[in-house]
Structures are given as C-alpha cells and as structure tokens.
C-alpha cells in the first residue's frame, strides 16, 4: 500500500514568489490536512480538505490556500512568499474529517521550503 | 481550549536505559491522545494512541504510554533504549467535545548514547 506522497521534497524560492505543493493521500483516504512545522512554532495546522471542500482552517493569512481534487489529491499554495514561510510542510492523510483526531494521521515525508 | 505540554525539549539516555518522555494535557472533556515519532528528514509516524479504552496503551517499537486522568498525563516509556530510537517525539491531544483537529506539543528530542 503506497504511503502519502508529497512533491517536491525540497524547494528554494525567492521572497515575493509563489509556490505550489502537492500531496497524494493513501488510497482510500479522502481527507487531507496540511501542517507547517518550524523550530520556533512547532506543528501548526493550516487546513483540512474533504470531498474537494475546505472543512477546517487554521490561523494563517490568506496567502496560504489549498484545494482538493476529485481523486483526493491536494495542493497548497503560498503566494507572496516571506522569509518566515521557510518551513517543513507536512501533509496528513486520514479516512474522513475527524478521523485524524480519533485514529491518527498518516503523514507524508514533507516538503522542505526555503525562502531566500 | 485543548493544549499539550511536553516537559523537556531534549532527553538524553544511554543505550539500554529506560526511556521516559513526559506529556501533560489540558482538556475539559475526555481526550484522545497520541504519540508520534519523527526521524530526520521524515514525516511523523504514529506510535500509539489512547481513545478511552485501556489506560495502558502499547505501541510500535516497544513503546507504551499510560493515561492518568488524575494527573492529566500521558507519558511515553520504553524499558530499554536502542540507538535507532533517537528521534523527535510529539504528543498530541484532541478533545472529543470541541474541534476535532489535534493539537501537537512542541516535541522532545531523544538522544541515545552508546
């Protein structure tokens, strides 16, 4: 059974640019959550998608957005990049909304974004 | 609001010694509790979870955790540390009565000396 696939693994961008990250959940999982991990703030919840709809959103500015496709694959986009957006972005897969908090998530290996 | 505190950002043990990683949570309703492990350049992997069944929960790689309601704790233990246990460990809590998004602790880095 394939795990959660995140692409790309590493990314270097310049301030002001935008970036798109991709996540394919485990087969059969229809909910995708995104987290930002930094040494200073730890793991912070960005948003959760299910059935192509955003179900929950964390406390991040509107520059952070996402979407989900009919095959459950999800993308997140960050526009007008700032130095502080440098982080490991983790995708977490679960069966349905809420199951990540009941059964636990399956995480991808993450995308390491560096903004210079 | 739910929260979780991991005591000690770094814990150092010798190979073969007991591992004890501390986690305290705050919740006004019965919680769901989790421990995850993160190896370098990897995502998080679920070690074990408490979902209101047995208070002593056994997980993968020989780890276990005990839910103590009176102490609002969910400490992670392993009788004998192995070099391969060196990693970052995260405790997470989700309260059943509110948001179902789990809140993660800041993490504890486990260092294992030969």
């Amino acid at each position: 059974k394939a795990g959660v696939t995140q692409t790309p693994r590493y990314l270097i961008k310049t301030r002001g640019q935008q970036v798109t990250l991709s996540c394919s959940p485990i087969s059969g999982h229809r909910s995708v959550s995104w987290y930002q991990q930094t040494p200073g703030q730890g793991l912070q919840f960005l948003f959760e998608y299910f059935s192509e709809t955003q179900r929950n959103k964390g406390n991040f500015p509107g520059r952070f957005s996402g979407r989900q496709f009919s095959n459950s694959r999800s993308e997140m986009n960050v526009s007008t990049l700032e130095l502080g957006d440098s982080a490991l972005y983790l995708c977490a897969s679960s069966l349905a909304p809420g199951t990540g908090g009941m059964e636990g998530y399956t995480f991808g290996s993450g995308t390491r974004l560096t903004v210079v | 609001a739910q929260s979780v505190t991991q005591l000690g950002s770094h814990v150092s043990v010798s190979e073969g010694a007991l591992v004890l990683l501390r986690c305290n949570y705050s919740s006004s309703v019965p919680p769901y509790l989790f421990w995850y492990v993160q190896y370098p350049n990897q995502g998080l992997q679920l070690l074990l979870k408490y979902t209101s069944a047995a208070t002593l929960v056994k997980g993968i790689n020989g780890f276990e955790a005990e839910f103590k309601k009176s102490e609002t704790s969910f400490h992670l233990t392993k009788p004998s540390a192995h070099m391969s246990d060196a990693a970052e460990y995260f405790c997470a809590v989700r309260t059943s009565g509110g948001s179902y998004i789990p809140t993660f602790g800041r993490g504890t880095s486990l260092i294992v000396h030969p």
Side-chain angles (χ1 to χ4, degrees):
Chain A
K1 191 174 186 180
V4 178
T5 304
Q6 288 191 249
T7 56
R9 285 297 309 275
Y10 302 92
L11 210 46
I12 299 176
K13 289 287 187 179
T14 304
R15 268 185 305 173
Q17 287 186 313
Q18 75 166 20
V19 67
T20 299
L21 313 181
S22 178
C23 171
S24 293
I26 286 178
S27 177
H29 282 195
R30 297 175 58 203
S31 181
V32 173
S33 298
W34 289 88
Y35 284 83
Q36 181 195 65
Q37 184 180 21
T38 59
Q41 299 296 321
L43 275 145
Q44 293 190 289
F45 172 74
L46 281 155
F47 26 65
E48 179 183 34
Y49 284 87
F50 175 76
S51 290
E52 303 176 61
T53 302
Q54 187 180 91
R55 297 302 178 107
N56 274 285
K57 188 177 190 306
N59 189 27
F60 278 82
R63 299 186 296 107
F64 292 81
S65 63
R67 59 177 175 169
Q68 187 180 36
F69 302 94
S70 58
N71 63 356
S72 296
R73 189 177 72 85
S74 176
E75 289 180 347
M76 68 162 282
N77 183 279
V78 187
S79 63
T80 319
L81 284 165
E82 301 177 359
L83 294 179
D85 297 332
S86 294
L88 180 66
Y89 290 88
L90 292 165
C91 169
S93 164
S94 57
L95 280 168
T99 57
M102 287 192 294
E103 300 300 322
Y105 290 122
T106 301
F107 282 87
S109 295
T111 294
R112 173 76 61 185
L113 172 65
T114 302
V115 182
V116 296
Chain B
Q2 60 199 33
S3 67
V4 61
T5 302
Q6 291 185 239
L7 298 175
S9 58
H10 294 82
V11 169
S12 182
V13 300
S14 298
E15 192 173 19
L18 171 72
V19 174
L20 171 60
L21 304 182
R22 300 177 187 273
C23 173
N24 288 89
Y25 68 91
S26 69
S27 172
S28 57
V29 297
Y32 290 79
L33 292 154
F34 307 85
W35 276 100
Y36 287 86
V37 61
Q38 184 178 33
Y39 298 101
N41 298 316
Q42 296 292 324
L44 280 69
Q45 179 184 7
L46 182 65
L47 270 178
L48 49 79
K49 62 189 176 191
Y50 168 77
T51 58
S52 76
T55 56
L56 183 61
V57 181
K58 294 188 184 300
I60 62 172
N61 301 339
F63 284 94
E64 63 181 37
E66 185 173 9
F67 171 69
K68 292 187 176 180
K69 183 180 178 180
S70 61
E71 299 177 9
T72 61
S73 70
F74 190 58
H75 301 331
L76 182 71
T77 60
K78 182 174 181 177
S80 176
H82 192 272
M83 296 295 290
S84 61
D85 295 326
E88 190 87 12
Y89 291 81
F90 293 89
C91 181
V93 63
R94 178 222 138 165
T95 55
S96 57
S99 166
Y100 56 76
I101 304 299
T103 298
F104 286 81
R106 299 299 295 271
T108 298
S109 178
L110 177 64
I111 302 160
V112 182
H113 297 285

